[in-house]
Every structure is written in C-alpha cells, then in structure tokens.
Amino acid sequence: MSVFGLENALWQASTNPKSGRRLREEGDTYLREFRVDERERELLLSWDVRALVERGVNPMVLMMANAAINGPAAAASYVEKINTPTAAPASR
C-alpha cells in the first residue's frame, strides 16, 4: 500500500481542475500514473472513503478531493460514509 501515492493522486485531483476531470472521467487510467495497488484503485474509484482512511489516507485530503470530484453537494454523503464502520470480515 502506498498512502503517499493515494494522497498524491487525491491532492492533484483536488488542486488541478484538469487532474480532477481526469479522475472523474477516466479514473483507472489517471490512477495508473501513481503508485497505488489494485485494491487501493478499487477503493478510490468506488469512493470507499472509510476504508481509505482505515488504510491511513488523510481524511481532509479525501474530503477536499471528494468535493472537487463529486461537487460540494457530495459533502453529506462523505460525512455519512466516513462515519459508517467498515463491515468486519466473516469468521470461519
């Protein structure tokens, strides 16, 4: 896992409109430019912000990118997701 790679991708997307548009419109291709693994790519493309925070991604960077990519109206959804615990894995 590369928290730096994820945060770098998110920071670029939140501070550069062209990068933000690329993440929104061609996310998989955009994320290949950063050092993120397949699972991290899946989490980010599905905006599983809670799981990303649990992996060490800064919640403020996520919040900024969420607003830049999904618009300010997505703030309520972000707060709901960030406060919903991730389901525990099923025990065998």
Side-chain angles (χ1 to χ4, degrees), residues 63 66 74-84:
M63 185 175 67
N66 184 63
S77 172
Y78 175 85
V79 170
E80 182 180 336
K81 288 178 181 180
I82 204 77
N83 288 311
T84 301

Side-chain angles (χ1 to χ4, degrees), residues 43 47-54 62 66 77-78 81-82:
L43 292 173
W47 284 98
D48 189 340
V49 294
R50 178 62 183 224
L52 289 164
V53 167
E54 288 173 355
L62 269 170
N66 184 63
S77 172
Y78 175 85
K81 288 178 181 180
I82 204 77

Side-chain angles (χ1 to χ4, degrees), residues 3 5-14 23 31 40 43-71 74-75 77-79 81-83:
V3 170
L6 286 167
E7 289 180 345
N8 190 16
L10 291 165
W11 180 261
Q12 291 297 322
S14 64
L23 178 55
L31 290 174
E40 293 164 338
L43 292 173
L44 187 51
L45 292 175
S46 67
W47 284 98
D48 189 340
V49 294
R50 178 62 183 224
L52 289 164
V53 167
E54 288 173 355
R55 286 177 167 246
V57 175
N58 184 300
M60 295 304 290
V61 172
L62 269 170
M63 185 175 67
M64 287 174 42
N66 184 63
I69 303 307
N70 300 311
S77 172
Y78 175 85
V79 170
K81 288 178 181 180
I82 204 77
N83 288 311

Side-chain angles (χ1 to χ4, degrees), residues 5-6 8-10 13 22-23 26-38 40-46:
L6 286 167
N8 190 16
L10 291 165
R22 287 191 61 224
L23 178 55
E26 53 187 79
D28 193 53
T29 302
Y30 173 77
L31 290 174
R32 293 198 186 280
E33 297 172 16
F34 300 89
R35 298 185 86 188
V36 297
D37 65 30
E38 191 60 36
E40 293 164 338
R41 189 175 291 114
E42 291 170 8
L43 292 173
L44 187 51
L45 292 175
S46 67

